[in-house]
Short mmCIF file of all heavy atoms in Angstrom, two decimals:
data_model
loop_
_atom_site.label_atom_id
_atom_site.label_comp_id
_atom_site.label_asym_id
_atom_site.label_seq_id
_atom_site.Cartn_x
_atom_site.Cartn_y
_atom_site.Cartn_z
N GLU T 131 -21.20 14.37 -25.98
CA GLU T 131 -19.89 14.99 -25.99
C GLU T 131 -19.09 14.60 -24.75
O GLU T 131 -19.60 14.67 -23.63
CB GLU T 131 -20.03 16.51 -26.05
CG GLU T 131 -20.71 17.03 -27.29
CD GLU T 131 -19.85 16.83 -28.53
OE1 GLU T 131 -18.61 16.89 -28.39
OE2 GLU T 131 -20.40 16.61 -29.61
N ALA T 132 -17.84 14.24 -24.96
CA ALA T 132 -16.98 13.91 -23.83
C ALA T 132 -16.82 15.09 -22.89
O ALA T 132 -16.76 14.93 -21.66
CB ALA T 132 -15.61 13.46 -24.35
N ALA T 133 -16.76 16.30 -23.46
CA ALA T 133 -16.61 17.50 -22.62
C ALA T 133 -17.79 17.65 -21.67
O ALA T 133 -17.65 18.10 -20.53
CB ALA T 133 -16.46 18.74 -23.50
N ASN T 134 -18.99 17.30 -22.16
CA ASN T 134 -20.18 17.41 -21.31
C ASN T 134 -20.12 16.42 -20.14
O ASN T 134 -20.57 16.72 -19.03
CB ASN T 134 -21.45 17.15 -22.13
CG ASN T 134 -21.78 18.31 -23.04
OD1 ASN T 134 -21.17 19.38 -22.94
ND2 ASN T 134 -22.71 18.09 -23.96
N VAL T 135 -19.57 15.24 -20.40
CA VAL T 135 -19.42 14.26 -19.33
C VAL T 135 -18.52 14.81 -18.23
O VAL T 135 -18.82 14.74 -17.04
CB VAL T 135 -18.86 12.93 -19.88
CG1 VAL T 135 -18.56 11.96 -18.74
CG2 VAL T 135 -19.83 12.29 -20.86
N LEU T 136 -17.39 15.40 -18.64
CA LEU T 136 -16.48 15.99 -17.66
C LEU T 136 -17.15 17.12 -16.91
O LEU T 136 -16.99 17.25 -15.68
CB LEU T 136 -15.21 16.49 -18.35
CG LEU T 136 -14.32 15.43 -19.00
CD1 LEU T 136 -13.07 16.09 -19.57
CD2 LEU T 136 -13.95 14.34 -18.01
N LEU T 137 -17.89 17.95 -17.62
CA LEU T 137 -18.58 19.07 -16.96
C LEU T 137 -19.57 18.56 -15.92
O LEU T 137 -19.64 19.07 -14.80
CB LEU T 137 -19.29 19.93 -18.01
CG LEU T 137 -20.15 21.07 -17.45
CD1 LEU T 137 -19.28 22.05 -16.66
CD2 LEU T 137 -20.87 21.79 -18.58
N ARG T 138 -20.36 17.55 -16.30
CA ARG T 138 -21.34 17.00 -15.36
C ARG T 138 -20.64 16.42 -14.13
O ARG T 138 -21.11 16.59 -13.00
CB ARG T 138 -22.16 15.91 -16.05
CG ARG T 138 -23.13 16.43 -17.10
CD ARG T 138 -24.25 17.24 -16.47
NE ARG T 138 -25.23 17.60 -17.47
CZ ARG T 138 -25.24 18.77 -18.13
NH1 ARG T 138 -24.30 19.66 -17.90
NH2 ARG T 138 -26.18 19.02 -19.03
N ALA T 139 -19.54 15.72 -14.34
CA ALA T 139 -18.83 15.14 -13.20
C ALA T 139 -18.31 16.24 -12.28
O ALA T 139 -18.40 16.14 -11.05
CB ALA T 139 -17.67 14.27 -13.70
N GLN T 140 -17.77 17.33 -12.86
CA GLN T 140 -17.29 18.43 -12.04
C GLN T 140 -18.44 19.11 -11.29
O GLN T 140 -18.30 19.46 -10.11
CB GLN T 140 -16.58 19.46 -12.91
CG GLN T 140 -15.21 19.00 -13.39
CD GLN T 140 -14.55 20.07 -14.24
OE1 GLN T 140 -14.94 20.26 -15.39
NE2 GLN T 140 -13.59 20.76 -13.67
N GLN T 141 -19.57 19.28 -11.96
CA GLN T 141 -20.72 19.90 -11.29
C GLN T 141 -21.20 19.04 -10.13
O GLN T 141 -21.56 19.55 -9.06
CB GLN T 141 -21.84 20.13 -12.31
CG GLN T 141 -21.53 21.23 -13.30
CD GLN T 141 -22.57 21.34 -14.40
OE1 GLN T 141 -23.21 20.34 -14.76
NE2 GLN T 141 -22.74 22.53 -14.95
N ALA T 142 -21.22 17.72 -10.33
CA ALA T 142 -21.62 16.82 -9.24
C ALA T 142 -20.64 16.90 -8.08
O ALA T 142 -21.04 16.89 -6.91
CB ALA T 142 -21.72 15.38 -9.77
N ALA T 143 -19.35 17.00 -8.39
CA ALA T 143 -18.36 17.12 -7.33
C ALA T 143 -18.52 18.41 -6.55
O ALA T 143 -18.42 18.45 -5.32
CB ALA T 143 -16.96 17.03 -7.92
N ARG T 144 -18.80 19.52 -7.28
CA ARG T 144 -19.00 20.80 -6.58
C ARG T 144 -20.26 20.76 -5.73
O ARG T 144 -20.31 21.32 -4.63
CB ARG T 144 -19.05 21.94 -7.60
CG ARG T 144 -17.72 22.25 -8.25
CD ARG T 144 -17.72 23.62 -8.92
NE ARG T 144 -18.67 23.68 -10.02
CZ ARG T 144 -18.37 23.36 -11.28
NH1 ARG T 144 -17.14 22.95 -11.57
NH2 ARG T 144 -19.27 23.45 -12.22
N TYR T 145 -21.30 20.07 -6.24
CA TYR T 145 -22.52 19.94 -5.44
C TYR T 145 -22.24 19.13 -4.17
O TYR T 145 -22.71 19.47 -3.08
CB TYR T 145 -23.62 19.25 -6.26
CG TYR T 145 -24.94 19.17 -5.53
CD1 TYR T 145 -25.86 20.19 -5.66
CD2 TYR T 145 -25.25 18.10 -4.71
CE1 TYR T 145 -27.07 20.15 -4.98
CE2 TYR T 145 -26.44 18.03 -4.02
CZ TYR T 145 -27.35 19.07 -4.16
OH TYR T 145 -28.53 19.01 -3.47
N ALA T 146 -21.46 18.05 -4.31
CA ALA T 146 -21.09 17.26 -3.13
C ALA T 146 -20.34 18.12 -2.12
O ALA T 146 -20.55 18.04 -0.91
CB ALA T 146 -20.23 16.07 -3.55
N LEU T 147 -19.46 18.98 -2.63
CA LEU T 147 -18.69 19.85 -1.75
C LEU T 147 -19.60 20.81 -0.99
O LEU T 147 -19.46 21.01 0.22
CB LEU T 147 -17.67 20.62 -2.59
CG LEU T 147 -16.39 21.09 -1.92
CD1 LEU T 147 -15.61 19.91 -1.36
CD2 LEU T 147 -15.53 21.86 -2.93
N ARG T 148 -20.58 21.40 -1.71
CA ARG T 148 -21.50 22.36 -1.07
C ARG T 148 -22.36 21.70 -0.02
O ARG T 148 -22.69 22.30 1.01
CB ARG T 148 -22.38 23.04 -2.12
CG ARG T 148 -21.68 24.01 -3.01
CD ARG T 148 -22.67 24.94 -3.70
NE ARG T 148 -23.69 24.21 -4.45
CZ ARG T 148 -23.56 23.83 -5.71
NH1 ARG T 148 -22.43 24.10 -6.35
NH2 ARG T 148 -24.53 23.20 -6.34
N THR T 149 -22.78 20.45 -0.29
CA THR T 149 -23.70 19.77 0.63
C THR T 149 -22.97 18.92 1.66
O THR T 149 -23.59 18.21 2.44
CB THR T 149 -24.68 18.88 -0.16
OG1 THR T 149 -23.93 17.93 -0.94
CG2 THR T 149 -25.56 19.71 -1.08
N ARG T 150 -21.62 18.97 1.63
CA ARG T 150 -20.78 18.24 2.58
C ARG T 150 -20.98 16.72 2.46
O ARG T 150 -20.87 15.98 3.43
CB ARG T 150 -21.00 18.71 4.02
CG ARG T 150 -20.69 20.18 4.21
CD ARG T 150 -20.73 20.58 5.68
NE ARG T 150 -19.66 19.94 6.43
CZ ARG T 150 -18.41 20.39 6.45
NH1 ARG T 150 -18.06 21.46 5.76
NH2 ARG T 150 -17.48 19.77 7.17
N ALA T 151 -21.34 16.28 1.25
CA ALA T 151 -21.35 14.84 0.96
C ALA T 151 -19.96 14.46 0.48
O ALA T 151 -19.17 15.31 0.08
CB ALA T 151 -22.38 14.51 -0.11
N ARG T 152 -19.65 13.18 0.55
CA ARG T 152 -18.36 12.75 0.04
C ARG T 152 -18.45 12.47 -1.46
O ARG T 152 -17.48 12.64 -2.17
CB ARG T 152 -17.90 11.49 0.78
CG ARG T 152 -16.49 11.02 0.47
CD ARG T 152 -15.40 11.93 1.01
NE ARG T 152 -15.59 12.25 2.40
CZ ARG T 152 -15.38 11.44 3.42
NH1 ARG T 152 -14.98 10.22 3.20
NH2 ARG T 152 -15.57 11.84 4.65
N TRP T 153 -19.63 12.02 -1.94
CA TRP T 153 -19.81 11.76 -3.36
C TRP T 153 -21.25 12.00 -3.79
O TRP T 153 -22.17 11.81 -3.01
CB TRP T 153 -19.45 10.33 -3.75
CG TRP T 153 -19.11 9.44 -2.62
CD1 TRP T 153 -19.95 8.76 -1.80
CD2 TRP T 153 -17.80 9.17 -2.15
NE1 TRP T 153 -19.25 8.07 -0.86
CE2 TRP T 153 -17.93 8.30 -1.05
CE3 TRP T 153 -16.53 9.56 -2.56
CZ2 TRP T 153 -16.83 7.83 -0.36
CZ3 TRP T 153 -15.45 9.08 -1.87
CH2 TRP T 153 -15.61 8.23 -0.78
N VAL T 154 -21.39 12.43 -5.02
CA VAL T 154 -22.71 12.60 -5.63
C VAL T 154 -22.64 12.03 -7.03
O VAL T 154 -21.68 12.26 -7.76
CB VAL T 154 -23.13 14.08 -5.67
CG1 VAL T 154 -24.29 14.29 -6.63
CG2 VAL T 154 -23.53 14.57 -4.28
N CYS T 155 -23.67 11.26 -7.39
CA CYS T 155 -23.75 10.65 -8.70
C CYS T 155 -24.72 11.46 -9.56
O CYS T 155 -25.83 11.76 -9.14
CB CYS T 155 -24.27 9.21 -8.57
SG CYS T 155 -23.42 8.03 -9.61
N TRP T 156 -24.31 11.80 -10.77
CA TRP T 156 -25.15 12.58 -11.68
C TRP T 156 -25.18 11.86 -13.02
O TRP T 156 -24.13 11.59 -13.59
CB TRP T 156 -24.57 13.97 -11.85
CG TRP T 156 -25.57 14.99 -12.33
CD1 TRP T 156 -26.78 14.77 -12.89
CD2 TRP T 156 -25.40 16.40 -12.28
NE1 TRP T 156 -27.40 15.95 -13.18
CE2 TRP T 156 -26.57 16.97 -12.83
CE3 TRP T 156 -24.38 17.24 -11.85
CZ2 TRP T 156 -26.75 18.34 -12.94
CZ3 TRP T 156 -24.56 18.61 -11.96
CH2 TRP T 156 -25.73 19.16 -12.49
N SER T 157 -26.40 11.58 -13.50
CA SER T 157 -26.49 10.88 -14.77
C SER T 157 -26.63 11.88 -15.91
O SER T 157 -25.68 12.55 -16.27
CB SER T 157 -27.62 9.87 -14.76
OG SER T 157 -27.34 8.85 -13.84
N ASP T 158 -27.85 12.06 -16.45
CA ASP T 158 -27.98 12.82 -17.68
C ASP T 158 -28.73 14.14 -17.57
O ASP T 158 -28.64 14.96 -18.47
CB ASP T 158 -28.67 11.97 -18.75
CG ASP T 158 -27.79 10.81 -19.18
OD1 ASP T 158 -26.57 10.97 -19.10
OD2 ASP T 158 -28.32 9.77 -19.57
N GLY T 159 -29.51 14.34 -16.54
CA GLY T 159 -30.32 15.55 -16.48
C GLY T 159 -30.05 16.35 -15.22
O GLY T 159 -29.59 15.81 -14.22
N PRO T 160 -30.35 17.65 -15.23
CA PRO T 160 -30.08 18.48 -14.06
C PRO T 160 -30.90 18.06 -12.85
O PRO T 160 -30.53 18.37 -11.72
CB PRO T 160 -30.47 19.89 -14.53
CG PRO T 160 -31.38 19.68 -15.69
CD PRO T 160 -30.92 18.42 -16.35
N GLU T 161 -32.03 17.35 -13.07
CA GLU T 161 -32.84 16.91 -11.94
C GLU T 161 -32.43 15.52 -11.46
O GLU T 161 -33.00 14.98 -10.51
CB GLU T 161 -34.32 16.88 -12.33
CG GLU T 161 -34.71 15.77 -13.31
CD GLU T 161 -34.26 16.05 -14.73
OE1 GLU T 161 -33.84 17.19 -15.00
OE2 GLU T 161 -34.34 15.12 -15.55
#
Side-chain angles (χ1 to χ4, degrees):
E131 297 291 328
N134 287 350
V135 173
L136 295 183
L137 175 61
R138 289 292 186 265
Q140 287 181 285
Q141 289 173 332
R144 289 197 296 271
Y145 184 90
L147 207 59
R148 289 198 305 272
T149 57
R150 300 188 67 81
R152 187 70 50 74
W153 5 83
V154 164
C155 222
W156 201 345
S157 294
D158 293 331
E161 71 285 349

